[in-house]
Amino acid sequence: MTTDPDYLMPGDFVWGVATSAYQVEGAVAEDGRLPSIWDTFSHTPGKVAGDGTGDVACDHYHRWRHDIALMKTIGVDAYRFSIAWPRVRPNGDGPVNAAGLGFYDLLVDALLAAGITPYPTLYHWDLPQALQDRGGWTVRDTAERFAEYAGIVTAALGDRVTQWATLNEPRCAAWIGHLEGRHAPGISDISAAVPASYHLLLGHGLAAQAIRAQRPGAQVGLVNLHGACEPASARATDVAAAARLDGHANRWWLDPIHGRGFPEDMLRVYRMDVPSKAGDDETIAAPLDWLGVNYYTPSVVADDPEGPPPYAREVTAQAGAPRTLLDWEIRADGLEQVLLRLTREYGAQRILVTENGSAWADTVALDGRVHDPERLRYLQEHVASCARAIQLGVPLAGYFAWSLLDNLEWADGYRPRFGLVYVDFATQRRVLKDSGAAYADIIRTQRARSSDGPVE
């Protein structure tokens, strides 16, 4: 298990792993935490495969010391985790819950003591249910409450935390949660989804202001899910559908934060305008210190005139193309393509791959180990894609594998396993998979070769 000898990452390249609060923490009713929209959604029969919930998940809330030890075993530089808003400010506004904030205080201290840099994300989809009851992301007030929460957390942790992400994948929170209805809060209405998308990005901008007001030297980023969109055929209808899906999945989230406003062509597709006020454009386009990229798979697109906006659907590219348990096509070159686009079209100055991974139905073998050759290969191919992107001039500064642990994969439940570490959910036993050992080897090899000088 060795890394590709033909590439060398920069010596200061950040190697990390990632998780999110609702997927791993459990302890949903402990120490003052109140329900989030995902507690409500997952407890609604039929919404999550196998009726899985985050009630216990990986019990990271109690087992974080052991999980940090696993990170040390792998040898990562950084841990990207999310902070649960309903733990810190359970009603979304009002009093701060000292016990909930204290959990993250302890976690940050322990990470730093282990030589691991914390990269917290302030919102990874777990909106306090109390705010949803008042309109959630469809109303402007939620963006303003988010900025308050961001300021509270930064004031408490910002003396030790320097790297902050405001939102994780607002695309999914808006479109899957408010248009497709497959994620919390389970709404299927374009007239809710467009305002939600707008207020998520407004919340990002307001939160960036709040973070910097508390800690002027803080490094602030935003994490988006990206993938290349290509037509399923040469037919004009499919070509146009691919352009619409690209607008829906990529440009809608990139243009506003880069000062270009919301794409006019997509406003025509949605047949709606955004609920803007004077000054919002500048707030949404708050300067970014880094741009986070989550990449899993490309999109092959066919026209779907009878479907919901953007009237496009993803289809299987070709029979025999490698695909994961979730039926996502595996194409490592797609990551390189995304990174190059962000650099050349949007002028990104610093990029982090904040999530990248693959789901499989892993099991513990008779030898007590977890052999996951598909994930191991996926990991190696995508890290190599990152290296190629750097060689082409992409300012890529780090890679975070998704995920440290097998966890609740949202509406897909517990069957898809993304972890570098296997979790027996009945006993909470952890087992480092072959892919986790391979990632440790990649990190060790790159560090050793970096200290030896460039490859000839």
Side-chain angles (χ1 to χ4, degrees):
M1 264 183 257
T2 59
T3 188
D4 185 337
D6 295 330
Y7 66 78
L8 175 65
M9 296 303 203
D12 59 354
F13 193 80
V14 177
W15 298 98
V17 287
T19 66
S20 86
Y22 190 69
Q23 292 179 276
V24 301
E25 283 183 0
V28 296
E30 291 191 36
D31 295 333
R33 183 190 181 279
L34 292 180
S36 73
I37 56 174
W38 267 95
D39 293 283
T40 302
F41 188 81
S42 67
H43 279 269
T44 303
K47 295 295 186 182
V48 175
D51 291 328
T53 74
D55 290 4
V56 177
C58 307
D59 198 29
H60 183 63
Y61 189 77
H62 299 114
R63 299 172 189 268
W64 55 271
R65 293 176 182 84
H66 181 56
D67 293 337
I68 290 176
L70 287 167
M71 295 180 222
K72 287 277 288 181
T73 297
I74 296 171
V76 297
D77 303 302
Y79 176 40
R80 179 176 172 246
F81 60 97
S82 74
I83 294 172
W85 190 350
R87 238 182 243 296
V88 173
R89 218 176 183 196
N91 285 306
D93 57 8
V96 174
N97 178 31
L101 189 54
F103 167 69
Y104 299 106
D105 193 70
L106 288 172
L107 180 64
V108 164
D109 281 349
L111 287 167
L112 292 172
I116 299 170
T117 301
Y119 275 72
T121 299
L122 289 166
Y123 185 73
H124 199 129
W125 307 353
D126 47 356
L127 184 72
Q129 182 61 44
L131 286 184
Q132 182 62 37
D133 294 342
R134 288 153 41 189
W137 287 108
T138 67
V139 299
R140 189 181 186 92
D141 181 70
T142 297
E144 295 169 349
R145 301 291 79 75
F146 179 61
E148 291 177 356
Y149 152 72
I152 289 166
V153 175
T154 308
L157 305 180
D159 58 331
R160 289 152 290 157
V161 173
T162 59
Q163 304 290 336
W164 296 93
T166 54
L167 307 176
N168 178 80
E169 296 181 355
R171 159 187 166 183
C172 297
W175 298 152
I176 305 180
H178 293 79
L179 177 58
E180 301 171 29
R182 295 186 291 112
H183 281 186
I187 297 169
S188 302
D189 185 351
I190 189 65
S191 68
V194 168
S197 72
Y198 184 85
H199 293 131
L200 279 155
L201 287 185
L202 178 63
H204 152 71
L206 292 171
Q209 293 175 355
I211 293 166
R212 290 177 172 133
Q214 289 290 339
R215 304 288 174 179
Q219 300 289 295
V220 181
L222 172 66
V223 174
N224 278 314
L225 174 66
H226 292 302
C229 298
E230 59 188 50
S233 75
R235 290 190 294 269
T237 52
D238 285 349
V239 172
R244 289 195 303 273
L245 188 64
D246 181 65
H248 187 70
N250 295 310
R251 290 186 291 112
W252 185 261
W253 307 101
L254 287 168
D255 285 9
I257 65 173
H258 288 95
R260 303 180 186 182
F262 287 85
E264 291 289 338
D265 62 324
M266 297 312 299
L267 291 171
R268 291 192 293 272
V269 169
Y270 303 144
R271 299 175 186 173
M272 288 188 66
D273 206 345
V274 290
S276 61
K277 291 187 178 181
D280 283 0
D281 288 351
E282 294 78 12
T283 298
I284 291 170
L288 290 170
D289 297 295
W290 52 268
L291 186 62
V293 174
N294 293 355
Y295 173 83
Y296 292 94
T297 185
S299 296
V300 179
V301 188
D303 186 36
D304 187 16
E306 303 303 318
Y311 313 109
R313 59 187 172 85
E314 296 185 44
V315 298
T316 301
Q318 57 184 352
R323 307 183 78 83
T324 71
L325 179 70
L326 291 172
D327 202 32
W328 297 351
E329 183 185 351
I330 300 170
R331 197 190 304 176
D333 289 351
L335 175 54
E336 181 183 344
Q337 187 176 351
V338 167
L339 295 173
L340 286 169
R341 179 185 188 183
L342 294 174
T343 303
R344 295 171 178 174
E345 293 186 27
Y346 289 92
Q349 297 298 303
R350 180 178 172 85
I351 302 175
L352 298 172
V353 172
T354 38
E355 288 183 25
N356 178 240
S358 58
W360 306 96
D362 304 316
T363 58
V364 179
L366 292 176
D367 62 5
R369 297 171 58 189
V370 178
H371 305 294
D372 56 339
E374 299 92 349
R375 181 179 296 102
L376 194 160
R377 184 164 50 251
Y378 182 102
L379 174 69
Q380 291 176 330
E381 290 175 351
H382 284 75
V383 171
S385 181
C386 289
R388 291 193 301 272
I390 291 172
Q391 291 167 359
L392 292 170
V394 172
L396 182 62
Y399 175 92
F400 290 74
W402 183 270
S403 173
L404 172 65
L405 303 167
D406 292 337
N407 54 45
L408 175 68
E409 186 45 37
W410 304 111
D412 290 304
Y414 284 99
R415 182 169 176 260
R417 292 177 176 268
F418 274 92
L420 300 176
V421 174
Y422 179 91
V423 177
D424 182 330
F425 295 109
T427 66
Q428 294 298 333
R429 182 171 69 101
R430 272 85 157 133
V431 179
L432 186 69
K433 301 178 187 178
D434 286 356
S435 60
Y439 191 40
D441 185 72
I442 289 171
I443 295 170
R444 281 193 304 269
T445 302
Q446 287 292 312
R447 283 179 182 153
R449 295 176 69 243
S450 177
S451 64
D452 290 341
V455 177
E456 296 298 334

